[in-house]
Each structure stands twice: as structure tokens, then as C-alpha cells.
Amino acid sequence: MTAVRAIARRLATAAMVLWAAATAAYLALLLAPGDTVDSIIGDGPDTPQIRAEVIAEWGLDRPDVVQYLDYLARAAQGDLGRSYLMQRPVAELVGEHLPATVTLAAAAAVTGVVLALAVALLTAGRRSLLRRGASTTELVLVSTPGFLIGIVLLNVFSFQLGWFPVSGGQDFSALVLPALTLALPVAGVLTQVLRDGLERALDEPFVVTARSRGIRERAVLARHALRHALLPAITLVGWLSGILLGGAVITEQVFGRPGLGQVTLQAVTTKDMPVVLAVVLLSAAVYVAVSTLADLAYLLVDPRLRRS
């Protein structure tokens, strides 16, 4: 029964997060300046008759509350509506651009985690020049806006050295700089958290016991201290998913990559409400899924949580 209650509580929380995200985005778009009818008509013919037909077709003459409840009811059934601008089903539009964004976010996540693990393991417990240099670099990366990192990488590795293409998403080489742009700030934060956890774990009695058994220092770090240091880092996984999805929107613009970023920016500027709401719901769903996986990861890393 405890497990059933836990699952029910988790599902209820997920539903609340999705509802809150959709409602906040709906209200923000509703209060934004601009007329929805103008967005739908765009640069096409604009006559009173055409406006009346648009209003009737999209049900825009209904009260805002009715439109909002209708949207929630259709979204609960998996119907995300039709794009005002593209005149296509939103699910089809999102599905078409989602793989490019997922590829970029996944590549950045893997790169950031690998960099953080490597630097934390190399510098934990040391007071060397390498440690000071790593700490300074982490602070610079964390405090620098992502788009600025992207522009610097573009200038050095594309314009000056010519190692990578300036824009596009046609092959692996076009993925390297965008993934690094997203990964470097993430690696900066994760490295600080991991190193702090490693250094606290190195003072624990079990580490002293491991050392007394003659285990080498690197093995103590990787096999004993790292597991304890992972718990605070896992807490940041939910934050990490938000950073990667939000950063992907800007990074795709900087590098001219296809993906949800360009679609989202275009939808926001043209007040294409169905597309914006679909992207918000997708982001919230990803956050919920990642947070749930992080909770499960706690159980794998710390056996005491499984017993409790």
C-alpha cells in the first residue's frame, strides 16, 4: 500500500506541475500585446469577412475561460491543436523538430557530466595550481551567458581555425560547438558540487578504513568517495534538464540549427498559442520524468534509502 500511495502521490504531483505550467503559459500569452486574429491572418488578405471566418473557425468569439478549459480538455486527450502560423497539427510540428533538440541536449548532458567527473576526480582533495585553475575556469563558465560562450567558440573554432561549420545541423561536426556551448556551464556547476562532495566524503571514517587497507588514493576516490558525492549532484538533475532545454532555444539560434528552439521563438513572437503551450507542456513533462528518474537513482546510489 505504501508503494501504491507513493505512485499515486507522484502522479498527482506530475498532473499539478503540467496544469500549472500550461496555465501560466496560457495566461502569459493571453496578457501579451497583440491580437490572435492578426497572428492567424499574417500577411494574407485582411477583410472583415475573413476576420469573421477566422474567429468562427478557431472559436475565438468564446470567453477566454471557455477557450482555456477547452484547451485543457483537449490536451488531456492528447490533442494539442493546430498551429496558427503553420496551419499544421502541433503534435506533428513538435515531432518533426524534437529529434534535433533532443540530440543536442543529450550530447550536451553527456559532455557536461563526463567533463565534471574528470575534473572533479583530478582536483578533489588537492591544493595545487591545477585545482586553482579549474576553480577559476568553473566560475567564469558559470557566470558567463551561454550565448556569449557560443559566440566565442564560433569565433575561435569556426571563423579563425575553420575546424567546425558556422551553422546548420547536417552532420556530427555541426553538433560539437553547440553541445559544448550548452555543456560548459553545466560542467562548471556539476564539478563544484561533485568536488565538494568528494572532499567531504574523504573525511569520512570509511575512507580512512579503505586507505588503511592499502587501497590507492585514486581507487578510494573512484570506488568509495564518488558514490557519496553523487547524491548532491543527482539533486541537480531536474535543474539540469531545465537548463538544457532552455539553453537549447538560444543555442539553436546562435548556431542556426534546426530544432524546437527556432519553432518556439517564432511561435512566441507571433503569439502562436497552441505551439507555445505544447512546448511548455513538453518541457514540464520532461522535468517531471527526469525528477522521477533522479528519485529512483537515489535508491540505486544509497542502500539506506531502499531499506527506509
Side-chain angles (χ1 to χ4, degrees), residues 23 81 84 87 132 146 163 173 209 221 242 262:
T23 302
Y84 293 159
Q87 298 292 315
R132 289 194 290 274
W163 291 356
S173 63
T209 304
L221 270 173
Q262 293 193 2

Side-chain angles (χ1 to χ4, degrees), residues 7 34-35 85 224 227 238 258 264 267 270 274 281 294 297:
I7 292 172
D35 187 2
L85 188 66
H224 297 278
R227 169 171 288 199
T264 305
T270 57
L281 278 176

Side-chain angles (χ1 to χ4, degrees), residues 24-53:
Y26 192 94
L27 289 175
L29 288 173
L30 200 62
L31 296 174
D35 187 2
T36 303
V37 178
D38 290 337
S39 301
I40 297 174
I41 292 176
D43 297 329
D46 186 0
T47 64
Q49 182 182 356
I50 291 176
R51 283 186 168 268
E53 290 174 354

Side-chain angles (χ1 to χ4, degrees), residues 10-11 14 237-238 285-299:
R10 172 64 69 177
L11 290 175
V237 168
V286 169
Y287 178 82
V288 170
V290 171
S291 297
T292 303
L293 291 176
D295 289 345
L296 295 175
Y298 284 138
L299 302 179

Side-chain angles (χ1 to χ4, degrees), residues 40-75:
I40 297 174
I41 292 176
D43 297 329
D46 186 0
T47 64
Q49 182 182 356
I50 291 176
R51 283 186 168 268
E53 290 174 354
V54 167
I55 291 173
E57 180 184 353
W58 293 89
L60 299 176
D61 52 346
R62 297 174 299 171
D64 293 332
V65 174
V66 175
Q67 293 184 52
Y68 164 70
L69 294 176
D70 179 57
Y71 174 79
L72 287 184
R74 286 187 288 106

Side-chain angles (χ1 to χ4, degrees), residues 14-205:
M16 285 295 294
V17 170
L18 294 176
W19 169 78
T23 302
Y26 192 94
L27 289 175
L29 288 173
L30 200 62
L31 296 174
D35 187 2
T36 303
V37 178
D38 290 337
S39 301
I40 297 174
I41 292 176
D43 297 329
D46 186 0
T47 64
Q49 182 182 356
I50 291 176
R51 283 186 168 268
E53 290 174 354
V54 167
I55 291 173
E57 180 184 353
W58 293 89
L60 299 176
D61 52 346
R62 297 174 299 171
D64 293 332
V65 174
V66 175
Q67 293 184 52
Y68 164 70
L69 294 176
D70 179 57
Y71 174 79
L72 287 184
R74 286 187 288 106
Q77 300 171 24
D79 180 8
L80 298 175
R82 194 152 51 98
S83 165
Y84 293 159
L85 188 66
M86 305 289 183
Q87 298 292 315
R88 294 172 54 192
V90 172
E92 181 182 306
L93 199 61
V94 171
E96 183 179 302
H97 292 85
L98 184 60
T101 300
V102 170
T103 301
L104 173 60
V110 172
T111 305
V113 170
V114 170
L115 282 174
L117 280 172
V119 176
L121 288 171
L122 280 173
T123 57
R126 295 190 174 188
R127 296 290 181 269
S128 62
L129 185 63
L130 177 64
R131 161 66 180 270
R132 289 194 290 274
S135 297
T136 303
T137 305
E138 290 154 17
L139 286 175
V140 171
L141 291 175
V142 170
S143 58
T144 304
F147 73 91
L148 191 56
I149 295 176
I151 291 173
V152 171
L153 291 176
L154 265 178
N155 187 49
V156 174
F157 295 103
S158 294
F159 295 129
Q160 301 295 328
L161 300 176
W163 291 356
F164 301 102
V166 175
S167 63
Q170 62 277 14
D171 54 24
F172 177 77
S173 63
L175 179 64
V176 174
L177 293 185
L180 270 178
T181 300
L182 274 177
L184 288 176
V186 169
V189 174
L190 285 181
T191 302
Q192 292 175 335
V193 173
L194 277 173
R195 185 168 51 233
D196 183 63
L198 282 170
E199 291 176 344
R200 280 189 282 107
L202 288 175
D203 295 330
E204 296 290 333

